[in-house]
Amino acid sequence: NRIFCGAVVVSDKLKDGVQDAILQIKDCKVKKCVMLSGDSEKVASGVSEKLGLDAYRAELLPADKMREVEKLLGKLEKKEKLAFVGDGINDAPCLARADVGVAMGALGQDSAVEAADVVLMGNDLTRIPYAVRLSKRTVSTVRANIIISLAVKIAVLILASIGIVGMWAAILADVGVCIICVTNSMRLLK
């Protein structure tokens, strides 16, 4: 007679803050969060459900992940972009193929770092929505700086050409625009 005395279960544990990170990512107007995993169907299903992901694919080899990325790219609308987040050697082809590749935990994963467009030093997923918000603010700041610079330069050019202002005013305006744009850009440091 054999008596069952117990079992040992080995599994990965979800990192703290992952659920919050997914919510923050969705708040950044991300349309769909999909997990591509090499784990079993059962594990991937459970993780996907806990995190509230829109879809998942399980038991994928690196080549399978690449096929899934290609499928996702094929379903995008004209102005949509695909971001892929990965942390290892197996993710490098997908990081390179996606519109935006984000490598997590850059230490020791040279191929992932080389293939990625963005490298986050660490495994904190909340850095992804932070990076998205920062990039959006950076683009809007650059656009504002361009508009300010062009408006002032065109105004001074017109005023100088009709003789209302002289060369010194044009030089001061140019330096002033530079100071305004640098000051505006420094707001991103907060």
Side-chain angles (χ1 to χ4, degrees), residues 82-96:
L82 176 74
F84 184 90
V85 180
D87 63 355
I89 294 169
N90 294 339
D91 296 324
C94 296
L95 288 167

Side-chain angles (χ1 to χ4, degrees), residues 8 22 116 137:
V8 176
I22 296 297
R137 284 195 63 202

Side-chain angles (χ1 to χ4, degrees), residues 37-38 58-67 90:
S37 176
E59 300 177 9
L60 299 176
L61 297 172
D64 300 326
K65 283 186 182 182
M66 189 61 154
R67 276 191 286 280
N90 294 339

Side-chain angles (χ1 to χ4, degrees), residues 74-177:
K75 293 178 183 176
L76 293 179
E77 302 209 4
K78 195 170 188 174
K79 290 191 174 188
E80 292 179 330
K81 301 289 181 199
L82 176 74
F84 184 90
V85 180
D87 63 355
I89 294 169
N90 294 339
D91 296 324
C94 296
L95 288 167
R97 179 62 184 100
D99 294 315
V100 179
V102 180
M104 298 292 296
L107 301 175
Q109 304 298 333
D110 291 340
S111 59
V113 171
E114 290 291 326
D117 300 301
V118 178
V119 179
L120 300 177
M121 304 298 285
N123 291 319
D124 183 5
L125 286 177
T126 59
R127 302 307 286 173
I128 295 170
Y130 168 77
V132 170
R133 289 190 303 269
L134 180 61
S135 66
K136 286 180 180 180
R137 284 195 63 202
T138 300
V139 168
S140 67
T141 301
V142 167
R143 285 184 179 144
N145 286 347
I146 290 170
I147 290 168
I148 291 167
S149 179
L150 289 176
V152 170
K153 288 179 188 276
I154 289 170
V156 170
L157 180 65
I158 291 170
L159 294 173
S161 67
I162 59 175
I164 295 177
V165 297
M167 181 62 81
W168 284 108
I171 292 169
L172 287 174
D174 187 50
V175 172
V177 164

Side-chain angles (χ1 to χ4, degrees), residues 37-49:
S37 176
D39 287 333
S40 70
E41 176 71 27
K42 184 178 178 182
V43 170
S45 172
V47 169
S48 178
E49 189 175 318

